[in-house]
Amino acid sequence: MARKMLIDGEVNHTNQVEEEAHFDFDLFVIGAGSGGVRAARFSANYGAKVGICELPFHPISSEVIGGVGGTCVIRGCVPKKILVYGANFGGEIEDAKNYGWELNEKVDYNWKKLLQKKTDEIIRLNGIYKRLLSNAGVKLYEGEGKIVGPNEVEVTQLDGTKLRYSAKHILIATGSRAQRLAIPGQELAITSDEALSLEDLPKRAVVFGGGYIAVEFASIWRGMGATVDLFFRKELPLRGFDDEMRAVVARNLEGRGINLHPRTNLTELTKTEKGIKIYTDHKEELLADVVLFATGNNNPYACYEGLQYSGLLKQNAIGRQRICRASIAKKQEQKKELRQEKERIDLLLLFCLGRSGVEMCLKEENEHSQTAPNAQIRNAEQARDEDTGDEVGGGVKKKRFSHPSSEEMASGRAGRAPNTKRLNLEAVGVELDNAGAVKVDEYSRTNIPTIWAVGDVTNRMNLTPVALMEGTCFAKTVFAGQPTKPDYNHIPCAVFSIPPFSVVGLSEEQALEQANGDVLVFTSSFNPMKNTISGRQEKTVMKLVVNAETDKVLGASMCGPDAPEVMQGIAVALKCGATKQQFDSTVGIHPSAAEEFVTMRSVTRRVTASGKPKANT
């Protein structure tokens, strides 16, 4: 029976040929990761006949290897979190001593045991995902899928047999894959895939990148006792997140013993008898057992190229906005008012950058002493042209590494690349962006009416729960007669560093960019109760960003133990449009860290849209 699809409240009648055509499937999905499985199951529940294909299982992916469950389950969120749990015990053992636990000085660690437990768990989850599909009545094919026509797919099975099926709708959900940076000796480095399956725990690890993947693996290996050096291009890690909270994360990384190397690029890797030799653009040399490439903009809040194509990037969305870019000349007018705040930023930079970056940072700060304080970090980071990598100064252009461009992503030179190369999309006419991501509209539909795409392959907001949301919205739109657009506002996110960092809503910088009036900033920094006994010198920091006129809470962030668990609840409040007064009127749970979010009543600073702080009144 032919189906009708509702878009914006209007029935979209298919042409007579399609109405009378017979298809093998109502929906065929290529890719059985989080988004694909969700879309397939929900579509089947709405009465659709669904087929899905996925590459054969392996912990380390390639163009011809994958596995049901996708990146998150097999080589992403789940195994990463297992390793984070394992790494946390390193600090817990130290903290336990002041709680009366008498421990031997030497504590042995069995990496291979954890690795086997991790592998057992992802195999179990792979089986669960297969059963979920089977129980929903979805037909699973193991093999490589590609699109050969607007309504036709081809599946190459493991034995080489090719099968072709017709489908009224085709959904692309093939995700993305980690890439290596193109420098001499790149083959000696690993990506996050291999990092989750190393046979031996490294004693010396180098991580190149400043995104959440880099920060998380640096924390994991350090927690397990390795010497870790973290190199990144900017002044602070986690570009795109709230600057003040980025500084907190950097301080914690150093406090845990990770060596930070800001504003530094790796230029070459060579193999020696003593390990991998790393060369930097500052003429540094060091040896490591493993080098992890985790470059590229892997802040999910910055993956909005697809949203810009679809028209979803609105004023209140969190996207790839180039914020606070007023010229230095204009900001010279604010010189007097900014001096005191500049001193605060200088101290902040000193506090978070440590020995390795402070001299360089202070040099640039002195050269640009007129810069507005709330933009100092960002202006320093944006001194190089983001698109070309050219550093401009004194009338001279000098080629430097910078934030990877879309062309770099497309050529596989940085970060993660969408898995679209082997899908035959160009031949069918499906439009891709410069990074190779599938372009879609507000309903996840491509320029070909029968072909759709969800998840990381569209490079919108690359998070597993977002792919699940997109898959759900797709199924409702196409098979339930309920046209539903994914809502990208107030999506919480966590960085599982040690301790973890979690956010929802707007950062202070994003709030200022979008504000029509003043923004109120509330912060709290305190020693967690557990640390008062253990003696660990590591503070929890919380932050709320509030619209001064409406009292609406625009954003929240936290760095400290259990931050993701706390932030999930805060996300519900922001989704419901909570005000600061409603936060203040909520009774806290005592004693807990979370209660601090409902007791922050004193304004830390009041900031105008121009970026100039006002005296608290």
Side-chain angles (χ1 to χ4, degrees):
M1 174 175 154
R3 300 177 187 274
K4 296 177 181 179
M5 183 172 64
L6 293 173
I7 296 292
D8 288 333
E10 297 181 3
V11 178
N12 181 19
H13 293 277
T14 55
N15 60 47
Q16 190 65 29
V17 174
E18 186 176 298
E19 289 284 347
E20 297 176 356
H22 170 74
F23 298 100
D24 297 320
F25 294 98
D26 295 315
L27 170 67
F28 198 95
V29 182
I30 301 178
S34 298
V37 169
R38 172 63 63 87
R41 290 174 54 223
F42 279 36
S43 297
N45 290 339
Y46 290 132
K49 183 179 180 182
V50 182
I52 190 170
C53 69
E54 178 54 69
L55 297 169
F57 171 86
H58 195 278
I60 301 174
S61 68
S62 74
E63 290 184 338
V64 294
I65 292 175
V68 176
T71 297
C72 176
V73 170
I74 299 172
R75 61 194 71 85
C77 321
V78 171
K80 179 270 303 289
K81 188 72 180 291
I82 291 172
L83 297 192
V84 169
Y85 280 135
N88 261 303
F89 283 107
E92 294 288 325
I93 290 171
E94 283 297 314
D95 293 349
K97 295 176 181 179
N98 281 341
Y99 278 91
W101 291 92
E102 301 294 339
L103 302 171
N104 296 327
E105 290 300 318
K106 179 173 170 45
V107 178
D108 293 328
Y109 180 70
N110 189 333
W111 163 257
K112 292 186 184 297
K113 183 174 183 178
L114 177 61
L115 189 65
Q116 185 58 54
K117 290 288 185 181
K118 180 271 299 181
T119 302
D120 292 344
E121 177 61 11
I122 64 175
I123 291 173
R124 185 184 73 88
L125 292 173
N126 173 254
I128 287 176
Y129 267 69
K130 288 181 179 179
R131 288 195 294 274
L132 287 172
L133 290 169
S134 177
N135 292 341
V138 177
K139 176 66 174 176
L140 172 63
Y141 298 88
E142 192 170 47
E144 182 179 10
K146 71 177 182 177
I147 301 174
V148 293
N151 296 98
E152 190 172 15
V153 298
E154 179 181 277
V155 179
T156 302
Q157 299 187 111
L158 301 184
D159 62 1
T161 304
K162 297 183 185 296
L163 306 174
R164 288 202 175 191
Y165 298 99
S166 61
K168 188 171 184 179
H169 297 282
I170 299 171
L171 178 65
I172 303 167
T174 49
S176 63
R177 195 155 54 88
Q179 305 292 302
R180 287 178 174 83
L181 194 68
I183 64 172
Q186 61 172 306
E187 70 281 357
L188 300 174
I190 62 172
T191 69
S192 55
D193 280 15
E194 294 86 6
L196 291 164
S197 298
L198 290 175
E199 290 188 9
D200 298 301
L201 180 67
K203 293 181 179 179
R204 303 165 298 175
V206 163
V207 180
F208 184 36
Y212 70 94
I213 294 173
V215 168
E216 289 171 343
F217 275 101
S219 294
I220 288 169
W221 285 330
R222 180 58 194 151
M224 293 175 176
T227 298
V228 178
D229 287 83
L230 178 61
F231 293 82
F232 45 95
R233 300 181 177 101
K234 303 302 179 181
E235 275 69 17
L236 293 167
L238 299 178
R239 180 183 174 209
F241 289 95
D242 186 282
D243 287 342
E244 188 172 19
M245 300 305 291
R246 293 168 66 197
V248 172
V249 173
R251 180 191 66 201
N252 288 343
L253 294 175
E254 275 203 323
R256 293 274 177 161
I258 296 171
N259 303 312
L260 303 186
H261 302 261
R263 302 174 68 181
T264 306
N265 292 288
L266 303 191
T267 58
E268 184 179 359
L269 306 178
T270 60
K271 189 174 183 179
T272 72
E273 292 182 357
K274 296 182 179 180
I276 301 171
K277 194 169 188 178
I278 297 97
Y279 300 86
T280 78
D281 58 353
H282 295 317
K283 309 302 181 184
E284 296 174 293
E285 297 179 10
L286 66 159
L287 289 170
D289 302 313
V290 65
V291 178
L292 170 65
F293 281 170
T295 55
N297 196 349
N298 48 38
N299 170 10
Y301 282 147
C303 298
Y304 265 81
E305 190 167 343
L307 292 183
Q308 289 174 317
Y309 170 83
S310 66
L312 285 177
L313 186 55
K314 301 178 181 178
Q315 277 298 105
N316 63 342
I318 304 170
R320 298 170 68 183
Q321 302 180 41
R322 297 182 179 183
I323 55 181
C324 299
R325 286 176 178 263
S327 66
I328 292 176
K330 181 179 179 181
K331 292 180 180 179
Q332 285 178 339
E333 300 172 3
Q334 303 171 351
K335 184 175 180 179
K336 289 184 180 179
E337 293 86 353
L338 299 179
R339 280 176 178 168
Q340 290 183 342
E341 186 65 10
K342 180 187 179 298
E343 291 176 1
R344 183 182 72 84
I345 294 294
D346 285 339
L347 290 174
L348 175 65
L349 292 171
L350 281 166
F351 191 50
C352 68
L353 294 181
R355 300 175 301 277
S356 54
V358 64
E359 295 88 358
M360 195 178 310
C361 184
L362 287 177
K363 180 180 179 181
E364 182 160 331
E365 289 292 327
N366 291 331
E367 290 172 354
H368 301 292
S369 61
Q370 310 296 330
T371 306
N374 283 344
Q376 285 183 20
I377 297 173
R378 292 183 302 285
N379 285 344
E381 292 182 346
Q382 293 166 351
R384 304 179 193 93
D385 184 278
E386 292 182 358
D387 294 326
T388 66
D390 290 340
E391 185 179 21
V392 182
V396 179
K397 280 193 174 183
K398 177 183 175 185
K399 200 70 178 177
R400 292 287 300 271
F401 282 95
S402 185
H403 178 65
S405 66
S406 56
E407 289 75 17
E408 287 179 308
M409 291 293 291
S411 62
R413 285 183 284 168
R416 297 186 66 86
N419 286 323
T420 55
K421 288 184 179 179
R422 297 168 64 93
L423 295 177
N424 198 42
L425 299 182
E426 293 89 342
V428 180
V430 174
E431 291 184 2
L432 306 176
D433 67 14
N434 291 333
V438 180
K439 290 186 175 183
V440 293
D441 66 13
E442 296 170 304
Y443 294 91
S444 300
R445 195 176 200 172
T446 73
N447 61 302
I448 306 298
T450 56
I451 301 176
W452 310 68
V454 298
D456 287 11
V457 75
T458 65
N459 198 29
R460 288 178 280 184
M461 183 177 278
N462 298 339
L463 293 168
T464 296
V466 173
L468 295 173
M469 173 183 67
E470 292 170 355
T472 300
C473 292
F474 162 82
K476 287 182 177 180
T477 299
V478 179
F479 296 109
Q482 303 171 22
T484 307
K485 302 175 185 179
D487 180 3
Y488 297 92
N489 292 311
H490 300 116
I491 292 175
C493 173
V495 179
F496 289 96
S497 51
I498 301 176
F501 167 50
S502 191
V503 303
V504 64
L506 303 181
S507 67
E508 180 179 347
E509 295 75 36
Q510 291 161 339
L512 289 173
E513 174 69 12
Q514 300 174 22
N516 293 321
D518 292 358
V519 171
L520 303 179
V521 178
F522 297 80
T523 60
S524 178
S525 177
F526 58 92
N527 203 28
M529 180 181 288
K530 183 179 177 182
N531 290 358
T532 61
I533 302 300
S534 69
R536 180 173 295 279
Q537 298 301 307
E538 189 173 77
K539 293 185 179 297
T540 289
V541 179
M542 296 179 175
K543 184 172 184 177
L544 290 175
V545 179
V546 179
N547 185 308
E549 181 179 355
T550 66
D551 198 44
K552 186 176 180 179
V553 180
L554 303 176
S557 51
M558 174 181 175
C559 186
D562 302 317
E565 311 297 334
V566 173
M567 201 54 57
Q568 183 66 79
I570 301 294
V572 176
L574 266 63
K575 191 76 172 178
C576 294
T579 64
K580 184 61 168 64
Q581 191 279 329
Q582 289 171 324
F583 269 69
D584 294 343
S585 65
T586 301
V587 177
I589 299 172
H590 184 76
S592 71
E595 68 179 315
E596 197 71 16
F597 271 117
V598 299
T599 59
M600 288 192 286
R601 295 186 175 87
S602 298
V603 178
T604 302
R605 57 186 174 273
R606 184 184 187 104
V607 193
T608 66
S610 66
K612 181 175 70 174
K614 287 185 177 180
N616 294 338
T617 58

